[in-house]
Amino acid sequence: MDFALQWPPGLCTCSFLCLDYSSSHVNEELLFMLQNITLCVLPTKLWGLPPTTSTSCAGPGVKNIPVPGMNGCMANDSLQNTRRLCPPRVYVENRLSVSYVPYYLPCPEIFNMKLQYKGEKPFQPVTPSQYPQPKLLEQKPTELLTLTPWLAPIVSEGTFDPELLHRIYQPLNLTVGVTVFAVGKYTQFVQHFLESAEQFFMQGFRVHYYVFTNDPTAIPRVRLGSGRLASIIPIQGHSRWEEISTRRMETISQHIVERAHREIDYLFCLDVDMVFRNPWGPETLGDLVAAIHPGYFAVPRQQFPYERRPLSTAFVAGGEGDFYYGGAVFGGRVARVYDFTRGCHMGILADKANGIMAAWQEESHLNRRFISHKPSKVLSPEYLWDDRKPQPPSLKLIRFSTLDKDTDWLRS
């Protein structure tokens, strides 16, 4: 059940709200929501009642329940004995001048209530769909495509005004989360990652880094700027790096449910063995964000390393696919990231039950899901580059890149 209120201009706020419902009109679900949501401030003119200075609700079994901006009152009896809330009166005191945003003013607390994570739909295989492949270098070899066929912007240098976007997003008081996994020998990359992020990542915004590790004592302390936090979250280590990779989606989705959905607005899931080299700002914010892999942005999709075995839930047919996305960078609104990571995790579990592991573990499932659940914003390879490759003329700068390292030694 969704709630939203229209706030007409020029109306005063209510300090107390009382409602009366007969037992035949109030169901358990409504009573539960009334007990568990923060009520919005209601204007008195909507009720057509004169203002008064009364500050309490009379009647037996009535309990005042304080909520931000107003007070509510509710029957103190159990749901089994009564379904009555206090009589239909609105008490108003202390008319206040109100600053409001025109049009519609939703209740943020009610929007947060949507993150219940209950009743998710079971995993269902996706029906393949075939259409021509979009090509990032379709116009000219030195110019990147700026819009996908499903009308999602492809973000690259020159496609946005950073100062304008900063002025638009900063008043929204957003908090951006970042998850990284530092397991085993990968703890050595944490300091370089955080120091470069403090220099370039989402400057002027609140940021919360979530560092998942099996060895918290190995994580160095890095000085962070104002409004920027780092949380070290212990996780179980695994002997095989493939197992670590496949557990990532599960860990992120569980973390969102247990904690992150209360602390952040957007979440980016990044690899820790990477470094920021140029500003990464609000141009990357979107409902569901993917980044094009640097190794496959200029090749036909027949060469993409998709999972090609039909037994796997990550299977991609020969005529399917848009871009090949890197598993090192994805994100979006926290609720959408939860849906996405949980969907990938369900596919991984289905594969495990069938005794199969996708070709590139969670990256294979990520690409399968992005085919059926299109990203609302796509980041060009300048947001996911590889230091072992020379910078092509189509990329004006590199913002985030993986370090040149001995991968076999790190995974041993």
Side-chain angles (χ1 to χ4, degrees), residues 137 140-144 156 297 382 391-396:
L137 300 174
K140 296 179 181 179
T142 58
E143 292 184 11
L144 298 179
S156 61
F297 71 96
E382 68 185 48
Q391 182 176 335
S394 57
L395 299 184
K396 299 180 176 63

Side-chain angles (χ1 to χ4, degrees), residues 160-232:
F160 60 92
D161 184 334
E163 293 185 4
L164 176 61
L165 290 178
H166 194 272
R167 289 198 298 267
I168 292 173
Y169 279 94
Q170 194 171 39
L172 300 181
N173 204 27
L174 300 172
T175 300
V176 181
V178 175
T179 65
V180 292
F181 286 73
V183 179
K185 299 172 184 177
Y186 280 82
T187 56
Q188 65 182 288
F189 298 110
V190 173
Q191 182 167 353
H192 199 184
F193 176 92
L194 291 178
E195 288 176 348
S196 67
E198 283 298 285
Q199 183 178 0
F200 293 116
F201 182 77
M202 299 300 295
Q203 289 300 304
F205 293 85
R206 294 198 305 268
V207 174
H208 198 148
Y209 304 102
Y210 300 104
V211 182
F212 297 88
T213 181
N214 65 328
D215 187 6
T217 61
I219 303 302
R221 293 184 177 272
V222 176
R223 186 175 181 178
L224 305 179
S226 176
R228 301 168 80 92
L229 304 172
S231 297
I232 300 174

Side-chain angles (χ1 to χ4, degrees), residues 131-136 138 145 148-150 301 304 321-323:
Y131 46 84
Q133 175 192 358
K135 297 180 180 179
L136 190 62
E138 191 168 24
L145 191 68
T148 69
W150 60 94
R301 61 186 172 191
F304 291 171
D322 304 306
F323 307 103

Side-chain angles (χ1 to χ4, degrees), residues 183-189 241 404-412:
V183 179
K185 299 172 184 177
Y186 280 82
T187 56
Q188 65 182 288
F189 298 110
W241 69 268
D404 189 1
K405 54 193 177 294
D406 187 347
T407 303
D408 293 335
W409 175 80
L410 288 169
R411 293 175 175 177
S412 63

Side-chain angles (χ1 to χ4, degrees), residues 45 112 191 237 242 247 249 264 271 296 304 346 368:
K45 289 184 181 180
N112 288 341
Q191 182 167 353
E242 294 92 346
R247 291 277 184 174
M249 294 296 184
I264 59 176
D271 276 3
Y296 302 96
F304 291 171
M346 296 298 289
R368 171 66 265 179

Side-chain angles (χ1 to χ4, degrees), residues 68-103:
M70 61 184 292
N71 286 337
C73 47
M74 187 174 295
N76 198 26
D77 302 322
S78 66
L79 294 180
Q80 289 76 16
N81 298 328
T82 180
R83 288 184 172 86
R84 180 178 58 83
L85 302 177
C86 46
R89 294 182 293 244
V90 176
Y91 299 85
V92 183
E93 63 176 2
N94 300 331
R95 286 180 174 269
L96 304 173
S97 59
V98 179
S99 299
Y100 61 89
V101 178
Y103 310 112

Side-chain angles (χ1 to χ4, degrees), residues 321-374:
D322 304 306
F323 307 103
Y324 189 80
Y325 302 107
V329 175
F330 67 94
R333 290 188 179 274
V334 65
R336 293 295 304 276
V337 176
Y338 168 77
D339 292 336
F340 184 84
T341 54
R342 187 181 183 277
C344 290
H345 174 54
M346 296 298 289
I348 292 170
L349 289 180
D351 276 9
K352 191 172 184 179
N354 290 325
I356 188 172
M357 179 180 288
W360 290 100
Q361 296 80 49
E362 98 272 9
E363 186 173 88
S364 296
H365 289 274
L366 174 144
N367 272 276
R368 171 66 265 179
R369 192 159 182 87
F370 271 136
I371 293 174
S372 55
H373 298 73
K374 304 294 189 190

Side-chain angles (χ1 to χ4, degrees), residues 54 67 95 120 143 172 185 188 191 231 238 241 244 247 277 284 289 306 327 374 376-377 387 406:
S54 300
V67 293
R95 286 180 174 269
E120 292 97 341
E143 292 184 11
L172 300 181
K185 299 172 184 177
Q188 65 182 288
Q191 182 167 353
S231 297
H238 298 277
W241 69 268
I244 298 172
R247 291 277 184 174
R277 302 201 181 280
T284 60
V289 181
Y306 286 143
K374 304 294 189 190
S376 63
K377 183 172 287 188
D387 279 356
D406 187 347

